[in-house]
Amino acid sequence: MSVTQVAAYAAPAAKAPLERVTVPRRPVGEHDVLIDIKYAGICHSDIHQARDGWGEGIFPMVPGHEIAGVVAEVGPGVTKFAVGDRVGVGCFVDSCRECEYCLRGQEQYCVQGMTGTYNALDKNGEPTYGGYSTHVVVDENYTVRIPEGLALDVAAPLLCAGITLYSPLKHWGAGPGKKVAIVGLGGLGHMGVKIAHALGAEVTVLSQSLRKKEDGLRLGASHYYATNDRATFEELAGTFDLIVSTVSAPLGLDSYLALLKVDGALVNVGAPEEPVELNLFSVIGGRKTLAGSMIGGIAETQEMLDFCAEHGLGSEIELIAADRINEAYERVLASDVRYRFVIDTSTI
């Protein structure tokens, strides 16, 4: 049942509204799986890329790297999946497979550069098209299994939002006895609160206002502070072992570094389009770390999905039809979603 053309929603040019189109999919190869996409999450990075916020994009662009679906066909050499399996695809669909990072399961840091699920060129020089579509063909080695304990709609955002928070929280040791702050309670941040709490850390949300305080406490935070109140920074100075910033607006790094204990770390997973400033004395005093983190490798993504299934952690979503994608983009920019839009791809 291989498909060669599939329905999708694409941005025809930078900053243009998305519209319904058809795009090609490659034939199912030796180690490929054809996935019948059921749900696709809308990530803020989709908007950045569709509007050339991070540099010049490849158009027409079909965004979407939070993909959940069901295997419809497998190549003759596939051993990991069978027709009917529940699977997911995240932010990349290939890498060099040979460098030290690929070999250690950190494909997201591939020396030659991972192949993005969309807005990238594959090894044949053909553009990749993402999850705002009905089907996708992906190598089995870049596909993950969605455990039965997770509904596909709430699992879709885990393929980016979930792993983007799980990876740094694990790497920097969030757990019992650690005080962790999550900056921003949005699509990324709300999963950070859930995951950090499940790991056993004491969680604080740092948000612009107290508007979402009730949600933050319900999701697992023990404390919630408004960053538009300067007294917050005075009260919390030297408090946290780890701060994970999820916001895509420029952050006042020096103010947040002051909230860390000695040897604490401020990790950025949000990616502002503009440069940010830093006074190096903010890290020198207290031997503090300013770091960044980007998604996770395939093995860690599977680990994250299994962890979320074990702890009953899905994303908080608003399910929409495909003809509401452009409206959803504007609402994301206005912080008017709790907490992730997910497209029902049957409406494409």
Side-chain angles (χ1 to χ4, degrees), residues 72-283:
E73 182 182 340
V74 299
V78 169
T79 60
K80 298 180 179 180
F81 302 101
V83 172
D85 284 352
R86 305 162 79 251
V87 294
V89 179
C91 298
F92 59 95
V93 290
D94 206 351
S95 61
C96 81
R97 313 183 190 209
E98 297 176 347
C99 71
E100 61 178 304
Y101 303 108
C102 285
L103 293 177
R104 71 169 70 155
Q106 295 178 336
E107 300 95 339
Q108 75 273 32
Y109 301 125
C110 175
V111 170
Q112 294 185 28
M114 63 182 183
T115 300
T117 303
Y118 70 90
N119 195 27
L121 298 176
D122 65 20
K123 290 178 179 177
N124 296 317
E126 298 296 325
T128 57
Y129 299 112
Y132 298 7
S133 58
T134 59
H135 297 80
V136 66
V137 178
V138 182
D139 187 297
E140 65 173 328
N141 295 296
Y142 294 81
T143 306
V144 290
R145 187 178 304 277
I146 296 178
E148 289 296 332
L150 285 172
L152 291 179
D153 55 355
V154 301
L158 301 182
L159 276 302
C160 175
I163 186 58
T164 295
L165 273 297
Y166 182 85
S167 187
L169 288 168
K170 287 282 288 189
H171 182 78
W172 274 275
K178 294 295 182 71
K179 292 186 176 181
V180 174
I182 304 295
V183 183
L185 192 69
L188 296 177
H190 90 285
M191 286 309 309
V193 171
K194 287 189 174 190
I195 292 169
H197 175 71
L199 288 168
E202 180 181 329
V203 184
T204 296
V205 174
L206 301 175
S207 185
Q208 285 184 307
S209 72
L210 299 178
R211 182 166 57 95
K212 301 177 183 176
K213 181 175 181 178
E214 184 177 329
D215 282 358
L217 300 179
R218 172 177 60 84
L219 295 172
S222 298
H223 315 283
Y224 199 108
Y225 290 88
T227 56
N228 61 9
D229 182 353
R230 193 62 215 172
T232 291
F233 291 90
E234 298 171 2
E235 179 181 348
L236 298 179
T239 294
F240 301 108
D241 300 286
L242 173 64
I243 301 173
V244 182
S245 173
T246 70
V247 299
S248 58
L251 198 67
L253 294 178
D254 300 301
S255 295
Y256 285 87
L257 286 164
L259 304 183
L260 292 172
K261 296 179 179 180
V262 171
D263 289 330
L266 169 59
V267 182
N268 292 271
V269 297
E273 296 179 2
E274 301 298 327
V276 295
E277 295 184 354
L278 170 67
N279 183 334
L280 283 174
F281 283 103
S282 296
V283 292

